Amino acid sequence: MIYLPVDSLDVRHNFALEYYLMTEKRPSEPVLMLWSTTPTVMLGKYQTAENELNRPFIAAHHIAAVRRLSGGGTIYSDQGGCQFTLITPNDNNAIDFSSGLNLIMQALNRIGIKAQMDSRNDLVVDGRKVSGSAQYLTTGYRLHHGSLLFNANLDWMAQALKIDPVKQRAKHIQSVHQRTVNLIEQQPTWTAATFKEQLTQALITITHAKTSQLTAAEETHLQQIATDKFNESAVWTANTRQFDYVHKSYLTGIGVVCVAFNLDKQQRFTALKLTGDFFSNLDLQHFEHALLGQVHQETVVAPIITRELQQAPIKGLQPQQLTALLF
Amino acid sequence: MIKEVHMPKLSPKSDQYFFGKWDKQPGDSVKTGDVLFEVETEKAISQVESQEDGTLKAQKVATGDTTKVGDLVATIEVA
């Protein structure tokens, strides 16, 4: 095992480091990292920020917001907590929380903290949650990310993750909220920095990990990954919204016509739905599939729509009207 | 020939997955080992690879859908 010291408190740098290791460096043995952050909220990959975060509080207190690569719920972290990352070569693409959690549990036990694993793959002390975990599996690698609370600001945590039940919606992953507790209750004479040092030493002793460092060039490269992959705008953009574009119009003599669609980076249709109260024998699935994969350009779309409506017209609707609705 | 892609079992604990996103679009050529899509279950994001060489014909599920092990998720046209 390799132990990689992480000094940065910038969550985007540290997520970029994880991403770099998994997708570019591709180590041949497991890599372990322990790190902390400035006050930060981390959303699960398929969560909707407006359902999980108290945005005014986060803005007023300059709390960083970022979206993880891994699944699960939203967490709050600060310098009173400690994040651990375990990246393991994984040929069979299997979800496995037990190996990472057993390692952390052993290390915690070694420094006098009696933690146990519960059914949600959380670590608990006396039934109260002290650590949550999530994973991201790519071809050949498993990333296990966990968060330990030592002396985190639980008041800020409660306020930043305040949930408005009115905003709860389907089609996203919702957080499961449990009673949390700081580990300082177990070791009241320690600071968060002492806890991190003690945990690091325990983990190195258990795993016999060799310490390694990134090169200056690799560190520079991480800044670009952080900007590209972990920018704040990705947090507030819903990752689970079914359609990015919804164009709707009431056309006299025809009725309501609505096209909803998504485009990829090459401006190709990746999803499309045509709905409305119009009269037609048009096979909607056939129509939608005719456009999927095509480039969102009028010269490309217009002939397809003309051909489809020649086969099955929508009563009173000219192909140009439907084409116009897509732009 | 059309080959069906069914949701594989990814977790020992759960047969129900949240469909995340497509990495391939209808009309894209796919090779064995290419990532087709990703799903979430038990706080883990898993990528699912193609077992075929061919062209992605149709996507049968979308982001946010709940899928179960064995569900038809896509079709691939193979030579």
Side-chain angles (χ1 to χ4, degrees), chain A residues 45-46 71-72 93 97 120 122 133-139 171 268 270, chain B residues 10 13 18 20-21 25 28 38 40-47 49 59 65:
Chain A
K45 183 155 188 183
Y46 288 107
N93 216 21
F97 282 91
R120 277 188 52 80
D122 293 327
S133 284
Q135 295 201 346
Y136 178 58
L137 296 106
T138 61
T139 308
K171 286 192 179 288
R268 299 180 303 179
T270 58
Chain B
L10 300 165
K13 287 186 179 174
F18 175 95
K21 71 175 177 70
Q25 301 306 326
D28 284 355
E38 68 177 31
E40 175 164 350
T41 183
E42 290 174 66
K43 303 192 280 187
I45 303 284
S46 295
Q47 296 180 334
E49 299 166 12
Q59 298 167 339
D65 287 352

PDB file of all heavy atoms in Angstrom, chain A residues 45-46 71-72 93 97 120 122 133-139 171 268 270, chain B residues 10 13 18 20-21 25 28 38 40-47 49 59 65:
ATOM      1  N   LYS A  45     -23.177  12.166  -6.086  1.00  0.00           N
ATOM      2  CA  LYS A  45     -23.153  12.436  -7.523  1.00  0.00           C
ATOM      3  C   LYS A  45     -24.533  12.713  -8.105  1.00  0.00           C
ATOM      4  O   LYS A  45     -24.693  13.576  -8.964  1.00  0.00           O
ATOM      5  CB  LYS A  45     -22.517  11.266  -8.262  1.00  0.00           C
ATOM      6  CG  LYS A  45     -22.412  11.525  -9.752  1.00  0.00           C
ATOM      7  CD  LYS A  45     -21.326  10.757 -10.391  1.00  0.00           C
ATOM      8  CE  LYS A  45     -21.138  11.187 -11.829  1.00  0.00           C
ATOM      9  NZ  LYS A  45     -20.125  10.391 -12.496  1.00  0.00           N
ATOM     10  N   TYR A  46     -25.553  11.974  -7.653  1.00  0.00           N
ATOM     11  CA  TYR A  46     -26.876  12.143  -8.256  1.00  0.00           C
ATOM     12  C   TYR A  46     -27.864  12.787  -7.300  1.00  0.00           C
ATOM     13  O   TYR A  46     -29.025  12.406  -7.244  1.00  0.00           O
ATOM     14  CB  TYR A  46     -27.387  10.796  -8.789  1.00  0.00           C
ATOM     15  CG  TYR A  46     -26.614  10.393 -10.018  1.00  0.00           C
ATOM     16  CD1 TYR A  46     -25.686   9.367  -9.987  1.00  0.00           C
ATOM     17  CD2 TYR A  46     -26.763  11.089 -11.202  1.00  0.00           C
ATOM     18  CE1 TYR A  46     -24.945   9.032 -11.108  1.00  0.00           C
ATOM     19  CE2 TYR A  46     -26.029  10.773 -12.321  1.00  0.00           C
ATOM     20  CZ  TYR A  46     -25.125   9.746 -12.275  1.00  0.00           C
ATOM     21  OH  TYR A  46     -24.400   9.432 -13.390  1.00  0.00           O
ATOM     22  N   GLY A  71     -21.388   8.000  -4.848  1.00  0.00           N
ATOM     23  CA  GLY A  71     -22.824   8.103  -4.595  1.00  0.00           C
ATOM     24  C   GLY A  71     -23.115   8.523  -3.166  1.00  0.00           C
ATOM     25  O   GLY A  71     -22.266   9.093  -2.481  1.00  0.00           O
ATOM     26  N   GLY A  72     -24.358   8.248  -2.729  1.00  0.00           N
ATOM     27  CA  GLY A  72     -24.738   8.518  -1.354  1.00  0.00           C
ATOM     28  C   GLY A  72     -25.219   9.929  -1.116  1.00  0.00           C
ATOM     29  O   GLY A  72     -25.571  10.644  -2.056  1.00  0.00           O
ATOM     30  N   ASN A  93     -14.873  -5.154 -10.481  1.00  0.00           N
ATOM     31  CA  ASN A  93     -15.851  -4.069 -10.396  1.00  0.00           C
ATOM     32  C   ASN A  93     -16.850  -4.257  -9.251  1.00  0.00           C
ATOM     33  O   ASN A  93     -18.006  -3.864  -9.350  1.00  0.00           O
ATOM     34  CB  ASN A  93     -16.604  -3.953 -11.728  1.00  0.00           C
ATOM     35  CG  ASN A  93     -16.916  -2.502 -12.049  1.00  0.00           C
ATOM     36  OD1 ASN A  93     -16.278  -1.593 -11.522  1.00  0.00           O
ATOM     37  ND2 ASN A  93     -17.906  -2.278 -12.886  1.00  0.00           N
ATOM     38  N   PHE A  97     -17.550  -2.366   0.798  1.00  0.00           N
ATOM     39  CA  PHE A  97     -17.264  -1.373   1.830  1.00  0.00           C
ATOM     40  C   PHE A  97     -16.457  -1.980   2.970  1.00  0.00           C
ATOM     41  O   PHE A  97     -15.815  -1.276   3.728  1.00  0.00           O
ATOM     42  CB  PHE A  97     -18.571  -0.792   2.385  1.00  0.00           C
ATOM     43  CG  PHE A  97     -19.205   0.233   1.489  1.00  0.00           C
ATOM     44  CD1 PHE A  97     -20.143  -0.141   0.529  1.00  0.00           C
ATOM     45  CD2 PHE A  97     -18.876   1.574   1.588  1.00  0.00           C
ATOM     46  CE1 PHE A  97     -20.735   0.806  -0.294  1.00  0.00           C
ATOM     47  CE2 PHE A  97     -19.456   2.526   0.770  1.00  0.00           C
ATOM     48  CZ  PHE A  97     -20.385   2.137  -0.174  1.00  0.00           C
ATOM     49  N   ARG A 120     -25.750   0.388   7.193  1.00  0.00           N
ATOM     50  CA  ARG A 120     -25.651   1.348   6.070  1.00  0.00           C
ATOM     51  C   ARG A 120     -24.186   1.645   5.722  1.00  0.00           C
ATOM     52  O   ARG A 120     -23.898   2.627   5.068  1.00  0.00           O
ATOM     53  CB  ARG A 120     -26.361   2.662   6.435  1.00  0.00           C
ATOM     54  CG  ARG A 120     -27.868   2.611   6.191  1.00  0.00           C
ATOM     55  CD  ARG A 120     -28.505   3.978   6.375  1.00  0.00           C
ATOM     56  NE  ARG A 120     -27.856   5.027   5.597  1.00  0.00           N
ATOM     57  CZ  ARG A 120     -28.052   5.244   4.306  1.00  0.00           C
ATOM     58  NH1 ARG A 120     -28.864   4.466   3.617  1.00  0.00           N
ATOM     59  NH2 ARG A 120     -27.443   6.227   3.685  1.00  0.00           N
ATOM     60  N   ASP A 122     -21.972   2.682   7.675  1.00  0.00           N
ATOM     61  CA  ASP A 122     -21.474   3.805   8.463  1.00  0.00           C
ATOM     62  C   ASP A 122     -20.709   3.245   9.656  1.00  0.00           C
ATOM     63  O   ASP A 122     -20.926   2.097  10.058  1.00  0.00           O
ATOM     64  CB  ASP A 122     -22.636   4.666   8.993  1.00  0.00           C
ATOM     65  CG  ASP A 122     -23.368   5.379   7.870  1.00  0.00           C
ATOM     66  OD1 ASP A 122     -22.715   5.745   6.875  1.00  0.00           O
ATOM     67  OD2 ASP A 122     -24.590   5.575   7.990  1.00  0.00           O
ATOM     68  N   SER A 133     -19.626   6.601   4.478  1.00  0.00           N
ATOM     69  CA  SER A 133     -18.774   6.195   3.364  1.00  0.00           C
ATOM     70  C   SER A 133     -19.553   6.157   2.065  1.00  0.00           C
ATOM     71  O   SER A 133     -20.781   5.996   2.064  1.00  0.00           O
ATOM     72  CB  SER A 133     -18.202   4.793   3.618  1.00  0.00           C
ATOM     73  OG  SER A 133     -17.169   4.838   4.558  1.00  0.00           O
ATOM     74  N   ALA A 134     -18.822   6.289   0.970  1.00  0.00           N
ATOM     75  CA  ALA A 134     -19.423   6.170  -0.360  1.00  0.00           C
ATOM     76  C   ALA A 134     -18.345   5.631  -1.295  1.00  0.00           C
ATOM     77  O   ALA A 134     -17.150   5.694  -0.967  1.00  0.00           O
ATOM     78  CB  ALA A 134     -19.930   7.528  -0.838  1.00  0.00           C
ATOM     79  N   GLN A 135     -18.776   5.097  -2.439  1.00  0.00           N
ATOM     80  CA  GLN A 135     -17.795   4.526  -3.367  1.00  0.00           C
ATOM     81  C   GLN A 135     -18.050   4.963  -4.799  1.00  0.00           C
ATOM     82  O   GLN A 135     -19.156   5.372  -5.162  1.00  0.00           O
ATOM     83  CB  GLN A 135     -17.834   2.985  -3.308  1.00  0.00           C
ATOM     84  CG  GLN A 135     -17.409   2.454  -1.962  1.00  0.00           C
ATOM     85  CD  GLN A 135     -16.950   1.006  -2.003  1.00  0.00           C
ATOM     86  OE1 GLN A 135     -17.173   0.293  -2.972  1.00  0.00           O
ATOM     87  NE2 GLN A 135     -16.301   0.582  -0.925  1.00  0.00           N
ATOM     88  N   TYR A 136     -16.977   4.856  -5.591  1.00  0.00           N
ATOM     89  CA  TYR A 136     -17.033   5.125  -7.033  1.00  0.00           C
ATOM     90  C   TYR A 136     -16.208   4.042  -7.704  1.00  0.00           C
ATOM     91  O   TYR A 136     -15.029   3.869  -7.381  1.00  0.00           O
ATOM     92  CB  TYR A 136     -16.445   6.511  -7.313  1.00  0.00           C
ATOM     93  CG  TYR A 136     -16.388   6.896  -8.763  1.00  0.00           C
ATOM     94  CD1 TYR A 136     -17.551   6.930  -9.542  1.00  0.00           C
ATOM     95  CD2 TYR A 136     -15.187   7.242  -9.367  1.00  0.00           C
ATOM     96  CE1 TYR A 136     -17.499   7.288 -10.878  1.00  0.00           C
ATOM     97  CE2 TYR A 136     -15.134   7.613 -10.705  1.00  0.00           C
ATOM     98  CZ  TYR A 136     -16.291   7.638 -11.451  1.00  0.00           C
ATOM     99  OH  TYR A 136     -16.247   7.993 -12.769  1.00  0.00           O
ATOM    100  N   LEU A 137     -16.843   3.283  -8.592  1.00  0.00           N
ATOM    101  CA  LEU A 137     -16.146   2.177  -9.242  1.00  0.00           C
ATOM    102  C   LEU A 137     -15.995   2.448 -10.727  1.00  0.00           C
ATOM    103  O   LEU A 137     -16.980   2.706 -11.423  1.00  0.00           O
ATOM    104  CB  LEU A 137     -16.932   0.876  -9.042  1.00  0.00           C
ATOM    105  CG  LEU A 137     -17.025   0.440  -7.572  1.00  0.00           C
ATOM    106  CD1 LEU A 137     -18.418   0.685  -7.033  1.00  0.00           C
ATOM    107  CD2 LEU A 137     -16.643  -1.011  -7.421  1.00  0.00           C
ATOM    108  N   THR A 138     -14.749   2.423 -11.191  1.00  0.00           N
ATOM    109  CA  THR A 138     -14.490   2.573 -12.622  1.00  0.00           C
ATOM    110  C   THR A 138     -13.852   1.275 -13.102  1.00  0.00           C
ATOM    111  O   THR A 138     -13.604   0.370 -12.297  1.00  0.00           O
ATOM    112  CB  THR A 138     -13.501   3.712 -12.899  1.00  0.00           C
ATOM    113  OG1 THR A 138     -12.266   3.394 -12.263  1.00  0.00           O
ATOM    114  CG2 THR A 138     -14.016   5.035 -12.395  1.00  0.00           C
ATOM    115  N   THR A 139     -13.577   1.216 -14.393  1.00  0.00           N
ATOM    116  CA  THR A 139     -12.921   0.033 -14.919  1.00  0.00           C
ATOM    117  C   THR A 139     -11.570  -0.122 -14.232  1.00  0.00           C
ATOM    118  O   THR A 139     -10.675   0.686 -14.412  1.00  0.00           O
ATOM    119  CB  THR A 139     -12.718   0.194 -16.441  1.00  0.00           C
ATOM    120  OG1 THR A 139     -13.971   0.550 -17.001  1.00  0.00           O
ATOM    121  CG2 THR A 139     -12.211  -1.097 -17.047  1.00  0.00           C
ATOM    122  N   LYS A 171     -36.807  11.320  -8.455  1.00  0.00           N
ATOM    123  CA  LYS A 171     -35.745  11.289  -9.459  1.00  0.00           C
ATOM    124  C   LYS A 171     -34.436  11.889  -8.973  1.00  0.00           C
ATOM    125  O   LYS A 171     -33.731  12.569  -9.691  1.00  0.00           O
ATOM    126  CB  LYS A 171     -36.195  11.976 -10.755  1.00  0.00           C
ATOM    127  CG  LYS A 171     -37.179  11.114 -11.542  1.00  0.00           C
ATOM    128  CD  LYS A 171     -37.381  11.654 -12.913  1.00  0.00           C
ATOM    129  CE  LYS A 171     -38.331  10.794 -13.726  1.00  0.00           C
ATOM    130  NZ  LYS A 171     -37.760   9.513 -14.128  1.00  0.00           N
ATOM    131  N   ARG A 268     -25.376  16.794 -29.768  1.00  0.00           N
ATOM    132  CA  ARG A 268     -26.228  15.737 -30.312  1.00  0.00           C
ATOM    133  C   ARG A 268     -27.351  15.444 -29.319  1.00  0.00           C
ATOM    134  O   ARG A 268     -27.134  15.500 -28.099  1.00  0.00           O
ATOM    135  CB  ARG A 268     -25.430  14.454 -30.554  1.00  0.00           C
ATOM    136  CG  ARG A 268     -24.304  14.611 -31.551  1.00  0.00           C
ATOM    137  CD  ARG A 268     -23.558  13.307 -31.728  1.00  0.00           C
ATOM    138  NE  ARG A 268     -23.024  12.796 -30.473  1.00  0.00           N
ATOM    139  CZ  ARG A 268     -22.346  11.656 -30.347  1.00  0.00           C
ATOM    140  NH1 ARG A 268     -22.151  10.889 -31.389  1.00  0.00           N
ATOM    141  NH2 ARG A 268     -21.877  11.280 -29.183  1.00  0.00           N
ATOM    142  N   THR A 270     -29.407  13.516 -26.886  1.00  0.00           N
ATOM    143  CA  THR A 270     -29.210  12.293 -26.091  1.00  0.00           C
ATOM    144  C   THR A 270     -30.530  11.806 -25.503  1.00  0.00           C
ATOM    145  O   THR A 270     -30.620  10.678 -25.042  1.00  0.00           O
ATOM    146  CB  THR A 270     -28.221  12.543 -24.945  1.00  0.00           C
ATOM    147  OG1 THR A 270     -28.733  13.602 -24.133  1.00  0.00           O
ATOM    148  CG2 THR A 270     -26.852  12.913 -25.484  1.00  0.00           C
TER     149      THR A 270
ATOM    150  N   LEU B  10     -24.942  -5.960  -9.516  1.00  0.00           N
ATOM    151  CA  LEU B  10     -23.721  -5.241  -9.149  1.00  0.00           C
ATOM    152  C   LEU B  10     -23.473  -5.250  -7.648  1.00  0.00           C
ATOM    153  O   LEU B  10     -22.377  -4.942  -7.200  1.00  0.00           O
ATOM    154  CB  LEU B  10     -23.809  -3.788  -9.620  1.00  0.00           C
ATOM    155  CG  LEU B  10     -23.972  -3.610 -11.131  1.00  0.00           C
ATOM    156  CD1 LEU B  10     -24.405  -2.189 -11.448  1.00  0.00           C
ATOM    157  CD2 LEU B  10     -22.679  -3.928 -11.850  1.00  0.00           C
ATOM    158  N   LYS B  13     -26.138  -6.847  -1.995  1.00  0.00           N
ATOM    159  CA  LYS B  13     -27.210  -6.490  -1.058  1.00  0.00           C
ATOM    160  C   LYS B  13     -28.484  -6.003  -1.731  1.00  0.00           C
ATOM    161  O   LYS B  13     -29.545  -5.985  -1.120  1.00  0.00           O
ATOM    162  CB  LYS B  13     -26.729  -5.374  -0.119  1.00  0.00           C
ATOM    163  CG  LYS B  13     -25.740  -5.828   0.927  1.00  0.00           C
ATOM    164  CD  LYS B  13     -25.474  -4.672   1.871  1.00  0.00           C
ATOM    165  CE  LYS B  13     -24.513  -5.062   2.970  1.00  0.00           C
ATOM    166  NZ  LYS B  13     -24.153  -3.911   3.800  1.00  0.00           N
ATOM    167  N   PHE B  18     -30.501   2.952  -9.066  1.00  0.00           N
ATOM    168  CA  PHE B  18     -30.865   4.273  -9.598  1.00  0.00           C
ATOM    169  C   PHE B  18     -30.057   4.473 -10.879  1.00  0.00           C
ATOM    170  O   PHE B  18     -28.823   4.394 -10.849  1.00  0.00           O
ATOM    171  CB  PHE B  18     -30.498   5.329  -8.552  1.00  0.00           C
ATOM    172  CG  PHE B  18     -30.698   6.752  -8.978  1.00  0.00           C
ATOM    173  CD1 PHE B  18     -31.868   7.429  -8.672  1.00  0.00           C
ATOM    174  CD2 PHE B  18     -29.697   7.445  -9.653  1.00  0.00           C
ATOM    175  CE1 PHE B  18     -32.035   8.754  -9.041  1.00  0.00           C
ATOM    176  CE2 PHE B  18     -29.854   8.757 -10.029  1.00  0.00           C
ATOM    177  CZ  PHE B  18     -31.032   9.408  -9.726  1.00  0.00           C
ATOM    178  N   GLY B  20     -28.059   6.304 -13.507  1.00  0.00           N
ATOM    179  CA  GLY B  20     -27.323   7.569 -13.483  1.00  0.00           C
ATOM    180  C   GLY B  20     -27.257   8.255 -14.826  1.00  0.00           C
ATOM    181  O   GLY B  20     -28.044   9.157 -15.115  1.00  0.00           O
ATOM    182  N   LYS B  21     -26.341   7.824 -15.693  1.00  0.00           N
ATOM    183  CA  LYS B  21     -26.217   8.497 -16.993  1.00  0.00           C
ATOM    184  C   LYS B  21     -25.682   7.536 -18.051  1.00  0.00           C
ATOM    185  O   LYS B  21     -25.023   6.539 -17.725  1.00  0.00           O
ATOM    186  CB  LYS B  21     -25.301   9.716 -16.879  1.00  0.00           C
ATOM    187  CG  LYS B  21     -23.828   9.383 -16.686  1.00  0.00           C
ATOM    188  CD  LYS B  21     -23.004  10.660 -16.700  1.00  0.00           C
ATOM    189  CE  LYS B  21     -21.539  10.398 -16.452  1.00  0.00           C
ATOM    190  NZ  LYS B  21     -20.811   9.721 -17.508  1.00  0.00           N
ATOM    191  N   GLN B  25     -24.398   6.957 -26.867  1.00  0.00           N
ATOM    192  CA  GLN B  25     -25.688   7.403 -27.415  1.00  0.00           C
ATOM    193  C   GLN B  25     -26.091   6.493 -28.573  1.00  0.00           C
ATOM    194  O   GLN B  25     -25.232   5.854 -29.197  1.00  0.00           O
ATOM    195  CB  GLN B  25     -25.568   8.848 -27.909  1.00  0.00           C
ATOM    196  CG  GLN B  25     -25.152   9.825 -26.842  1.00  0.00           C
ATOM    197  CD  GLN B  25     -26.036   9.777 -25.615  1.00  0.00           C
ATOM    198  OE1 GLN B  25     -27.239   9.530 -25.719  1.00  0.00           O
ATOM    199  NE2 GLN B  25     -25.455   9.981 -24.449  1.00  0.00           N
ATOM    200  N   ASP B  28     -23.849   5.333 -31.646  1.00  0.00           N
ATOM    201  CA  ASP B  28     -22.415   5.246 -31.318  1.00  0.00           C
ATOM    202  C   ASP B  28     -21.930   3.810 -31.486  1.00  0.00           C
ATOM    203  O   ASP B  28     -22.639   2.858 -31.126  1.00  0.00           O
ATOM    204  CB  ASP B  28     -22.149   5.653 -29.858  1.00  0.00           C
ATOM    205  CG  ASP B  28     -22.220   7.155 -29.648  1.00  0.00           C
ATOM    206  OD1 ASP B  28     -22.378   7.888 -30.636  1.00  0.00           O
ATOM    207  OD2 ASP B  28     -22.109   7.591 -28.485  1.00  0.00           O
ATOM    208  N   GLU B  38     -23.772   4.389 -16.151  1.00  0.00           N
ATOM    209  CA  GLU B  38     -23.477   4.182 -14.741  1.00  0.00           C
ATOM    210  C   GLU B  38     -24.739   4.239 -13.911  1.00  0.00           C
ATOM    211  O   GLU B  38     -25.711   4.916 -14.274  1.00  0.00           O
ATOM    212  CB  GLU B  38     -22.399   5.144 -14.218  1.00  0.00           C
ATOM    213  CG  GLU B  38     -22.798   6.583 -14.141  1.00  0.00           C
ATOM    214  CD  GLU B  38     -21.676   7.455 -13.544  1.00  0.00           C
ATOM    215  OE1 GLU B  38     -20.487   7.147 -13.722  1.00  0.00           O
ATOM    216  OE2 GLU B  38     -22.023   8.460 -12.903  1.00  0.00           O
ATOM    217  N   GLU B  40     -26.351   3.935  -9.610  1.00  0.00           N
ATOM    218  CA  GLU B  40     -26.010   4.085  -8.187  1.00  0.00           C
ATOM    219  C   GLU B  40     -26.816   3.103  -7.361  1.00  0.00           C
ATOM    220  O   GLU B  40     -28.020   2.927  -7.573  1.00  0.00           O
ATOM    221  CB  GLU B  40     -26.299   5.512  -7.700  1.00  0.00           C
ATOM    222  CG  GLU B  40     -26.072   5.659  -6.190  1.00  0.00           C
ATOM    223  CD  GLU B  40     -25.969   7.091  -5.699  1.00  0.00           C
ATOM    224  OE1 GLU B  40     -25.879   8.011  -6.531  1.00  0.00           O
ATOM    225  OE2 GLU B  40     -25.969   7.271  -4.465  1.00  0.00           O
ATOM    226  N   THR B  41     -26.135   2.457  -6.437  1.00  0.00           N
ATOM    227  CA  THR B  41     -26.814   1.639  -5.441  1.00  0.00           C
ATOM    228  C   THR B  41     -25.969   1.612  -4.186  1.00  0.00           C
ATOM    229  O   THR B  41     -24.733   1.616  -4.272  1.00  0.00           O
ATOM    230  CB  THR B  41     -27.067   0.204  -5.961  1.00  0.00           C
ATOM    231  OG1 THR B  41     -27.793  -0.522  -4.975  1.00  0.00           O
ATOM    232  CG2 THR B  41     -25.777  -0.540  -6.259  1.00  0.00           C
ATOM    233  N   GLU B  42     -26.626   1.624  -3.030  1.00  0.00           N
ATOM    234  CA  GLU B  42     -25.910   1.551  -1.737  1.00  0.00           C
ATOM    235  C   GLU B  42     -24.768   2.558  -1.633  1.00  0.00           C
ATOM    236  O   GLU B  42     -23.669   2.209  -1.205  1.00  0.00           O
ATOM    237  CB  GLU B  42     -25.288   0.162  -1.549  1.00  0.00           C
ATOM    238  CG  GLU B  42     -26.230  -0.956  -1.317  1.00  0.00           C
ATOM    239  CD  GLU B  42     -25.436  -2.239  -1.300  1.00  0.00           C
ATOM    240  OE1 GLU B  42     -24.633  -2.401  -0.373  1.00  0.00           O
ATOM    241  OE2 GLU B  42     -25.569  -3.026  -2.227  1.00  0.00           O
ATOM    242  N   LYS B  43     -24.981   3.768  -2.058  1.00  0.00           N
ATOM    243  CA  LYS B  43     -23.981   4.840  -1.959  1.00  0.00           C
ATOM    244  C   LYS B  43     -22.754   4.593  -2.839  1.00  0.00           C
ATOM    245  O   LYS B  43     -21.710   5.198  -2.623  1.00  0.00           O
ATOM    246  CB  LYS B  43     -23.545   5.051  -0.494  1.00  0.00           C
ATOM    247  CG  LYS B  43     -24.715   5.354   0.426  1.00  0.00           C
ATOM    248  CD  LYS B  43     -24.275   5.837   1.775  1.00  0.00           C
ATOM    249  CE  LYS B  43     -23.856   4.724   2.676  1.00  0.00           C
ATOM    250  NZ  LYS B  43     -23.581   5.160   4.046  1.00  0.00           N
ATOM    251  N   ALA B  44     -22.880   3.690  -3.810  1.00  0.00           N
ATOM    252  CA  ALA B  44     -21.759   3.418  -4.721  1.00  0.00           C
ATOM    253  C   ALA B  44     -22.196   3.681  -6.153  1.00  0.00           C
ATOM    254  O   ALA B  44     -23.293   3.303  -6.562  1.00  0.00           O
ATOM    255  CB  ALA B  44     -21.301   1.976  -4.582  1.00  0.00           C
ATOM    256  N   ILE B  45     -21.321   4.374  -6.890  1.00  0.00           N
ATOM    257  CA  ILE B  45     -21.543   4.590  -8.319  1.00  0.00           C
ATOM    258  C   ILE B  45     -20.763   3.509  -9.061  1.00  0.00           C
ATOM    259  O   ILE B  45     -19.565   3.363  -8.853  1.00  0.00           O
ATOM    260  CB  ILE B  45     -21.017   5.973  -8.763  1.00  0.00           C
ATOM    261  CG1 ILE B  45     -21.668   7.105  -7.964  1.00  0.00           C
ATOM    262  CG2 ILE B  45     -21.176   6.168 -10.265  1.00  0.00           C
ATOM    263  CD1 ILE B  45     -23.056   7.466  -8.325  1.00  0.00           C
ATOM    264  N   SER B  46     -21.445   2.769  -9.930  1.00  0.00           N
ATOM    265  CA  SER B  46     -20.773   1.702 -10.693  1.00  0.00           C
ATOM    266  C   SER B  46     -20.937   1.939 -12.179  1.00  0.00           C
ATOM    267  O   SER B  46     -22.025   2.272 -12.643  1.00  0.00           O
ATOM    268  CB  SER B  46     -21.390   0.337 -10.365  1.00  0.00           C
ATOM    269  OG  SER B  46     -21.167  -0.010  -9.031  1.00  0.00           O
ATOM    270  N   GLN B  47     -19.856   1.739 -12.908  1.00  0.00           N
ATOM    271  CA  GLN B  47     -19.912   1.831 -14.366  1.00  0.00           C
ATOM    272  C   GLN B  47     -20.175   0.440 -14.936  1.00  0.00           C
ATOM    273  O   GLN B  47     -19.637  -0.550 -14.426  1.00  0.00           O
ATOM    274  CB  GLN B  47     -18.591   2.364 -14.912  1.00  0.00           C
ATOM    275  CG  GLN B  47     -18.316   3.794 -14.456  1.00  0.00           C
ATOM    276  CD  GLN B  47     -16.999   4.336 -14.985  1.00  0.00           C
ATOM    277  OE1 GLN B  47     -16.084   3.582 -15.270  1.00  0.00           O
ATOM    278  NE2 GLN B  47     -16.919   5.646 -15.112  1.00  0.00           N
ATOM    279  N   GLU B  49     -19.989  -1.912 -18.351  1.00  0.00           N
ATOM    280  CA  GLU B  49     -19.308  -1.975 -19.647  1.00  0.00           C
ATOM    281  C   GLU B  49     -20.083  -2.835 -20.638  1.00  0.00           C
ATOM    282  O   GLU B  49     -20.833  -3.725 -20.252  1.00  0.00           O
ATOM    283  CB  GLU B  49     -17.911  -2.588 -19.454  1.00  0.00           C
ATOM    284  CG  GLU B  49     -17.033  -1.781 -18.542  1.00  0.00           C
ATOM    285  CD  GLU B  49     -15.808  -2.555 -18.093  1.00  0.00           C
ATOM    286  OE1 GLU B  49     -15.533  -3.618 -18.670  1.00  0.00           O
ATOM    287  OE2 GLU B  49     -15.152  -2.099 -17.160  1.00  0.00           O
ATOM    288  N   GLN B  59     -31.720   3.146 -26.228  1.00  0.00           N
ATOM    289  CA  GLN B  59     -31.638   3.232 -24.766  1.00  0.00           C
ATOM    290  C   GLN B  59     -33.058   3.035 -24.234  1.00  0.00           C
ATOM    291  O   GLN B  59     -33.983   3.701 -24.701  1.00  0.00           O
ATOM    292  CB  GLN B  59     -31.126   4.603 -24.340  1.00  0.00           C
ATOM    293  CG  GLN B  59     -29.730   4.918 -24.843  1.00  0.00           C
ATOM    294  CD  GLN B  59     -29.376   6.386 -24.665  1.00  0.00           C
ATOM    295  OE1 GLN B  59     -30.259   7.236 -24.540  1.00  0.00           O
ATOM    296  NE2 GLN B  59     -28.089   6.688 -24.686  1.00  0.00           N
ATOM    297  N   ASP B  65     -34.377   6.955 -13.536  1.00  0.00           N
ATOM    298  CA  ASP B  65     -35.247   5.771 -13.523  1.00  0.00           C
ATOM    299  C   ASP B  65     -34.738   4.776 -12.487  1.00  0.00           C
ATOM    300  O   ASP B  65     -33.536   4.663 -12.245  1.00  0.00           O
ATOM    301  CB  ASP B  65     -35.251   5.071 -14.889  1.00  0.00           C
ATOM    302  CG  ASP B  65     -36.037   5.847 -15.933  1.00  0.00           C
ATOM    303  OD1 ASP B  65     -36.697   6.836 -15.559  1.00  0.00           O
ATOM    304  OD2 ASP B  65     -35.995   5.460 -17.117  1.00  0.00           O
TER     305      ASP B  65
END
